Amino acid sequence: MDQQTVAILPPSARDAFKEPLGPVFEDVAPLLADHDGPVIAVGDMVTYHLLCADHQPTVAVLDGRSEREAVSPDVSAALDGLVPDSVVPNAPGTLSAELVAALVGAARGDGGVIVVEGEEDLAVLPAVLAAPEGSLVVYGQPGEGMVRVEVTPAARERARTLFEKLDTEARLWSLLD
C-alpha cells in the first residue's frame, strides 16, 4: 500500500461487495419516506436523483463517473452547482486516508460535498461507520437502483464485516474513531 491508501479490495473479496447493504429503490420518494435526518449520497447518479427530487443530501460523494464511465452532460450540469468542500484522491478498489477523513468530517460535522479524483466505489463502508445513527447512506446498485442503508448498529456491524475482507492498515480504524 502507498502512503495514502488505508484499504484495498482484494480480487478474492469482490463478490462479497455485490450484495446490496439494504433495500433497493428506483424512485426517491419511497427511498426517503419516513426519514427526516441526514442523508449521505455516495455517487453522482444518486446525488443527481436526490437533487432532481428537491432533496439536497447532507453529504455528497462524487467522482464524475457512473459505472466506470463519465456521467452524461445533463448529470454533470446538474451537479456543477455543488461546491466542493474537499477534493481527495482515491484509486479504484481502495480507500485513501484523505477520503476516509473527509467522509468522517462531513458526516460528523456540517455535511458537505466531497469530490473524489479517482473512484468512490468503496466509500459506502466508511460512510456507514461515520454517519450518526439514524442517518441514511444511499448509493447506487448498478442496473438496479438506489440502495438505502439506515445507519443502525446492525448496519455498522455489516460494514465492519465487509471491512474485514479488505486488506487494511491499522490507521484506518484511527480515522474512523
Side-chain angles (χ1 to χ4, degrees):
M1 278 188 225
D2 64 32
Q3 261 187 310
Q4 295 177 347
T5 303
V6 293
I8 296 173
L9 175 62
S12 61
R14 292 191 191 277
D15 285 346
F17 286 79
K18 291 182 180 176
E19 185 70 28
L21 294 175
V24 180
F25 294 83
E26 291 183 12
D27 297 316
V28 171
L31 175 99
L32 296 177
D34 302 327
H35 182 78
D36 60 359
V39 175
I40 298 172
V42 178
D44 295 66
M45 294 307 298
V46 168
T47 303
Y48 171 76
H49 287 294
L50 289 169
L51 292 173
C52 287
D54 291 325
H55 187 87
Q56 172 77 42
T58 310
V59 177
V61 183
L62 310 170
D63 65 4
R65 306 188 76 67
S66 176
E67 297 186 41
R68 301 211 173 12
E69 299 292 330
V71 294
S72 71
D74 290 348
V75 171
S76 182
L79 299 178
D80 277 347
L82 299 176
V83 178
D85 295 288
S86 303
V87 178
V88 298
N90 195 75
T94 72
L95 286 170
S96 69
E98 292 89 340
L99 175 55
V100 174
L103 258 170
V104 169
R108 295 179 182 166
D110 294 329
V113 176
I114 301 167
V115 174
V116 176
E117 292 178 338
E119 281 190 22
E120 40 71 349
D121 52 344
L122 293 177
V124 170
L125 296 180
V128 170
L129 294 181
E133 195 160 317
S135 299
L136 289 184
V137 176
V138 183
Y139 69 96
Q141 185 74 12
E144 294 185 44
M146 298 172 284
V147 180
R148 172 189 164 130
V149 183
E150 185 171 348
V151 178
T152 64
R156 286 193 171 123
E157 185 57 36
R158 183 138 183 237
R160 284 187 185 279
T161 299
L162 287 170
F163 259 123
E164 290 172 5
K165 296 181 183 309
L166 302 176
D167 295 332
T168 61
E169 289 199 356
R171 65 188 168 128
L172 168 70
W173 299 107
S174 64
L175 292 168
L176 290 167
D177 284 339

